Amino acid sequence: MPFIKIDVLREDITREKKQELIKKISEAVTTVLNKDPHLTHIMINEVEDDNWGYAGEQVSVLKEQGFSTEKK
């Protein structure tokens, strides 16, 4: 029984985006690992910018300096 935990920054992640993420990850686990999707558990944990660090700095501070998590 696969259990997959995904940590993401709490940004513009809508209910629909979460559903798509859950669906696609479940499909990948089924295809790659040959696991029953009904036994695959996925948990999405949203983390505040102040609680996530990167390169020695809080993401909230990096965003104030122009850092973006959007795909370029």
Side-chain angles (χ1 to χ4, degrees):
M1 169 172 65
F3 180 89
I4 299 157
K5 180 181 174 191
I6 304 165
D7 291 324
V8 296
L9 287 172
R10 181 170 289 170
E11 294 177 320
D12 298 327
I13 185 162
T14 63
R15 183 178 188 178
E16 293 77 20
K17 286 181 182 179
K18 290 175 191 177
Q19 178 56 41
E20 182 179 2
L21 188 58
I22 290 167
K23 180 180 180 189
K24 290 186 177 184
I25 290 172
S26 294
E27 290 171 354
V29 169
T30 299
T31 301
V32 175
L33 299 178
N34 195 34
K35 296 295 182 180
D36 183 345
H38 295 99
L39 299 176
T40 299
H41 299 260
I42 298 170
M43 183 176 78
I44 298 172
N45 182 39
E46 295 179 84
V47 180
E48 298 290 341
D49 291 351
D50 285 344
N51 298 336
W52 194 303
Y54 173 76
E57 195 65 73
Q58 287 174 294
V59 169
S60 56
V61 173
L62 291 170
K63 283 183 175 180
E64 290 171 359
Q65 298 170 354
F67 175 82
S68 174
T69 59
E70 295 295 315
K71 182 178 172 183
K72 295 180 182 182

